[in-house]
Amino acid sequence: FQISLSLYSRGCTDIVCCILFIICILGYVAVGILAWSQGDPRKVIYPTDSRGQFCGQSLTLTTKPLLFYFNIMKCASPMVLLEFQCPTTQMCVEKCPDKFMTLLKAYSNKEDFKYYKNFCKEGLDGPCFSCSPSLFCVFSFTPLPPVTRRCFPALGQKKGGEITVGNNSTICIMFSLAMKIFEDYTQSWYWILIGLVIAMLISLLFIVLLRFLAGIMVWVMIVMVILVIGYGIFHCSMEYVSLKSEAGSNVTLKDLGFQTDFSVYLHIRQTWLAFIIILAIVEVIIILLLIFLRNRILIAIALIKEASRAIGYVMSALFYPLFTFALLSIVIAYWAVTAVFLSTSNQPIYKVFNETACNHSRKICEPANFSTSSMKAECSESKCLFAFYGGETVYHKYLIGLQFYNVFLFFWCANFVTALGQMTLAGAFASYYWAFVKPDDMPAFPIFSSLGRSLRYHTGSLAFGSLILSIIQIIRVLLEYIDHKLQGTQNKCTKFLLCCLKCCFWCLEKFIKFINRNAYIMVAIYGKNFCTSAKDAFFLLMRNMIRVAVLDKVTDFLLFLGKLLIVGLVGIFAFFFFSGRVKAFENTAPNLHYYWVPILTVVVGSYLIAHGFFSVYAMCVDTLFLCFCEDLERNDGSLARPYYMSASLHDILSENKAVEETEEPTQSSPHQPDDQDVQLKQ
């Protein structure tokens, strides 16, 4: 086996896919260069009017730094993200409107019309009879502060919870919610970063302690998870009891309906009752699992101890997630920058608009010289107005395709980086397992040796597995897009079919991730191509289904409890800090609309950070488990065919025999030796 892990005993795998991946990466770089040469990121930083001028930047617009939308509701479409422009006329203004006004009201008063003209197109000397009133300030706008240099509707709330824009009712609830959430992020982002740093330090400390005190830390982790959830039940119960005497606290959630101020729900007893029930169910499920799996948990703890011993010989593996995080950051940054440049590379297109018959109607025009053009001469009442953002060149015609290519390569590169991390860790831990004399037979630098093998010989296999996963993910994105487009339809059959497709592809993605993970382990061990490794890994797991349930999945459950503990601890701290429940933090915590915004962000970020660090242990356990199963099938412990597993891992096998005999009366026949046995013996 030492020869199979060396740099000289294996060849390149999946060469065709490797070449395809390299070509696509070069194409990705070309798309980035093309986007950077055509795009203008100032369109994101500075608001741009319908003529393509930057508000507050152009010589004629230095006194007009704010952007005014004629119909802000047209900006609610998610397709706006592809172009960073709304499909409505926009103009730069000195200040946002400070009062509600309609075009009809402006007609009846000269002073009102003088004020109203500030938000009409330039060159108007009288009432704009040719323009539709719906294109002008239908809504009122907040004068201060304009959000990101743009005039947005001033949303308020009347009695009864009715959301209003200015003096008019509207359905712009989600817009108001988004604006308040955005403001909360601007006020609390540095505290969110501090919370995530705390989560990273706790995760690192937990992993280091798990390395030296595996058995004790697992039991501490189990007890702490039960206590943290128990405290959650106790806190919710106290809140539920304290609201008993408050007026209006017995209102049901159904009667209350949807509220943009989520703090309202915390004054309802039914909310805390729901929290109590949910936490109690989670607590009972965990306790029952611990009771019924108590024997298997002891075996799983022994496997975690063996994983800790392996990590002890490969300590650099604890910091490898930082390298993966750095690579993923580069991939995300490149995708985001390219997307911004692609989205801002469109040019404003103007067309001729006329209410009477005109041969040039809807033809492209130039507003700068339109007044002296032949179109204006033939159609005196026509106007050259902004139509949309786009272009007539080949580049602009295929811009949506370039955006799609950017998204697809983002998925492919991100999955490739994740796969590289999995194969690198698998190769390092496999070198520990198959070393007959540990650590003498191990490479000097297991992580670096495994990383070099993965990149030199198995880039094609990594690209192949990540390509399959990326195709499924992009299909899921397309299904979500189709679902968004069909939201207004009433065809139940179509909705049902789309729901089934989304569910099937979600399950398929999970299955492919499982197959890929184990395939990368087999590639790291034997150096075979992706398909062969995936097939070998799948059938090896099928031949050891009981062991998968007893060892591998129970161990995953224990590691999940570790993530849950870290998330719970950080989440409780974030709750008391941002909610102001602790007097020591009252003056320190930021003033927020919704304190749940930073709390949820910290909780989700903490889980992702904990998952990154615990993924090292998970990968170590999965690798040792597959090597363990291979070792059992190919060797019998005799002098001629000795086990490569350590004595402690052999004890785990002995303890596991009783469980297997009760759940699997008929053991499948051992795997027959093949040419890999000779390779292993070497």
Side-chain angles (χ1 to χ4, degrees), residues 52-333:
Q53 303 176 102
F54 298 107
C55 298
Q57 299 298 308
S58 304
L59 294 177
T60 58
L61 299 174
T62 52
T63 60
K64 298 180 178 181
L66 306 176
L67 186 66
F68 174 75
Y69 298 90
F70 280 16
N71 188 353
I72 188 66
M73 298 307 296
K74 290 187 178 181
C75 302
S77 172
M79 293 303 293
V80 172
L81 296 175
L82 294 176
E83 299 180 353
F84 283 101
Q85 293 291 347
C86 298
T88 184
T89 304
Q90 304 159 50
M91 60 178 295
C92 300
V93 295
E94 185 176 352
K95 63 178 182 179
C96 296
D98 57 4
K99 56 184 176 180
F100 179 78
M101 186 177 294
T102 64
L103 185 59
L104 183 61
K105 182 180 179 181
Y107 282 156
S108 61
N109 188 293
K110 290 184 178 180
E111 291 297 324
D112 287 342
F113 184 74
K114 183 178 179 181
Y115 173 81
Y116 193 81
K117 278 182 60 180
N118 294 323
F119 309 103
C120 292
K121 294 183 179 180
E122 296 179 0
L124 292 178
D125 297 324
C128 184
F129 292 105
S130 61
C131 299
S132 171
S134 62
L135 295 177
F136 286 81
C137 193
V138 179
F139 309 110
S140 62
F141 290 81
T142 52
L144 291 173
V147 181
T148 63
R149 305 178 185 178
R150 292 164 173 83
C151 298
F152 284 121
L155 289 100
Q157 191 168 14
K158 291 182 178 180
K159 294 181 179 180
E162 182 183 18
I163 301 300
T164 64
V165 181
N167 296 328
N168 291 351
S169 299
T170 184
I171 57 173
C172 201
I173 298 177
M174 299 309 298
F175 185 84
S176 171
L177 184 63
M179 289 299 101
K180 291 181 179 180
I181 290 175
F182 178 79
E183 292 179 8
D184 286 345
Y185 275 123
T186 60
Q187 295 292 326
S188 61
W189 64 269
Y190 45 92
W191 293 111
I192 293 175
L193 288 180
I194 292 175
L196 296 180
V197 170
I198 293 174
M200 183 180 68
L201 294 177
I202 294 177
S203 300
L204 184 59
L205 177 63
F206 198 92
I207 289 295
V208 172
L209 291 176
L210 196 62
R211 154 67 185 94
F212 297 100
L213 304 169
I216 297 176
M217 287 301 298
V218 170
W219 285 114
V220 169
M221 175 181 65
I222 292 173
V223 174
M224 286 294 293
V225 167
I226 295 175
L227 291 178
V228 168
I229 298 177
Y231 172 77
I233 297 173
F234 169 77
H235 180 82
C236 294
S237 301
M238 295 299 294
E239 293 286 347
Y240 179 78
V241 173
S242 65
L243 291 173
K244 184 177 181 180
S245 58
E246 286 194 14
S249 61
N250 291 320
V251 176
T252 63
L253 294 175
K254 183 178 180 181
D255 294 336
L256 184 63
F258 179 77
Q259 300 290 327
T260 56
D261 186 2
F262 289 122
S263 62
V264 174
Y265 294 107
L266 300 181
H267 296 282
I268 304 300
R269 298 187 73 201
Q270 198 175 81
T271 302
W272 294 105
L273 179 61
F275 288 157
I276 294 172
I277 294 173
I278 293 172
L279 291 176
I281 292 175
V282 173
E283 183 89 322
V284 170
I285 290 175
I286 291 177
I287 292 175
L288 290 177
L289 286 174
L290 292 173
I291 293 174
F292 288 108
L293 299 176
R294 59 188 182 277
N295 292 328
R296 298 175 181 179
I297 288 175
L298 295 175
I299 300 172
I301 290 175
L303 185 58
I304 291 178
K305 288 182 179 179
E306 184 66 21
S308 299
R309 192 173 294 108
I311 291 176
Y313 290 112
V314 194
M315 285 296 292
S316 57
L318 292 176
F319 303 95
Y320 188 85
L322 299 178
F323 177 68
T324 300
F325 176 77
L327 291 180
L328 285 175
S329 299
I330 294 173
V331 171
I332 294 173

Side-chain angles (χ1 to χ4, degrees), residues 17 21 408 411-419 459-473 512 516 520 530:
C17 201
F21 182 65
F408 179 73
F411 281 125
W412 197 357
C413 292
N415 290 326
F416 180 88
V417 170
T418 303
T459 298
S461 298
L462 294 170
F464 193 6
S466 55
L467 174 62
I468 297 173
L469 183 58
S470 301
I471 292 174
I472 296 173
Q473 289 173 339
I512 292 299
N516 283 5
Y520 296 143
F530 177 81

Side-chain angles (χ1 to χ4, degrees), residues 287-576:
I287 292 175
L288 290 177
L289 286 174
L290 292 173
I291 293 174
F292 288 108
L293 299 176
R294 59 188 182 277
N295 292 328
R296 298 175 181 179
I297 288 175
L298 295 175
I299 300 172
I301 290 175
L303 185 58
I304 291 178
K305 288 182 179 179
E306 184 66 21
S308 299
R309 192 173 294 108
I311 291 176
Y313 290 112
V314 194
M315 285 296 292
S316 57
L318 292 176
F319 303 95
Y320 188 85
L322 299 178
F323 177 68
T324 300
F325 176 77
L327 291 180
L328 285 175
S329 299
I330 294 173
V331 171
I332 294 173
Y334 185 87
W335 163 77
V337 171
T338 303
V340 168
F341 274 88
L342 285 173
S343 301
T344 57
S345 59
N346 278 326
Q347 302 297 326
I349 302 299
Y350 300 87
K351 292 190 175 183
V352 177
F353 290 89
N354 195 55
E355 293 186 356
T356 59
C358 177
N359 294 331
H360 301 289
S361 181
R362 300 300 187 270
K363 289 185 178 180
I364 296 176
C365 58
E366 290 293 337
N369 57 5
F370 180 74
S371 59
T372 59
S373 66
S374 59
M375 296 181 183
K376 182 66 174 178
E378 295 180 20
C379 305
S380 59
E381 297 182 359
S382 63
K383 293 185 178 182
C384 185
L385 300 177
F386 169 79
F388 58 89
Y389 277 89
E392 299 298 324
T393 65
V394 176
Y395 169 77
H396 290 97
K397 289 181 180 179
Y398 292 98
L399 190 58
I400 188 67
L402 295 178
Q403 284 281 23
F404 178 82
Y405 186 79
N406 183 36
V407 173
F408 179 73
L409 262 294
F410 164 72
F411 281 125
W412 197 357
C413 292
N415 290 326
F416 180 88
V417 170
T418 303
L420 177 62
Q422 292 175 346
M423 186 178 291
T424 300
L425 292 174
F429 295 131
S431 66
Y432 160 82
Y433 186 94
W434 296 110
F436 198 77
V437 180
K438 302 174 177 60
D440 296 341
D441 293 340
M442 293 176 59
F445 303 99
I447 287 290
F448 291 104
S449 299
S450 181
L451 178 61
R453 285 194 304 272
S454 300
L455 290 175
R456 181 176 179 180
Y457 296 108
H458 307 305
T459 298
S461 298
L462 294 170
F464 193 6
S466 55
L467 174 62
I468 297 173
L469 183 58
S470 301
I471 292 174
I472 296 173
Q473 289 173 339
I474 204 70
I475 292 175
R476 290 192 62 199
V477 170
L478 292 176
L479 289 175
E480 291 293 339
Y481 174 75
I482 295 173
D483 185 34
H484 172 77
K485 285 294 185 182
L486 297 178
Q487 280 184 355
T489 63
Q490 302 298 325
N491 193 328
K492 294 184 178 180
C493 181
T494 303
K495 290 182 178 180
F496 175 76
L497 179 61
L498 192 59
C499 183
C500 291
L501 288 174
K502 289 166 64 177
C503 180
C504 290
F505 276 97
W506 180 84
C507 295
L508 181 60
E509 181 182 353
K510 297 299 180 183
F511 177 74
I512 292 299
K513 284 183 177 180
F514 173 77
I515 291 296
N516 283 5
R517 182 182 181 89
N518 291 282
Y520 296 143
I521 295 175
M522 298 300 283
V523 172
I525 295 174
Y526 293 116
K528 293 186 176 182
N529 61 56
F530 177 81
C531 291
T532 302
S533 300
K535 181 195 69 174
D536 293 342
F538 179 77
F539 286 111
L540 179 62
L541 292 173
M542 290 300 101
R543 292 193 298 270
N544 295 271
M545 289 185 64
I546 300 299
R547 293 191 180 102
V548 171
V550 173
L551 294 177
D552 197 47
K553 295 309 170 188
V554 176
T555 306
D556 289 343
F557 171 70
L558 294 179
L559 295 179
F560 172 75
L561 291 182
K563 302 175 194 176
L564 203 62
L565 175 61
I566 293 173
V567 171
L569 292 175
V570 177
I572 290 174
F573 173 78
F575 172 76
F576 283 109

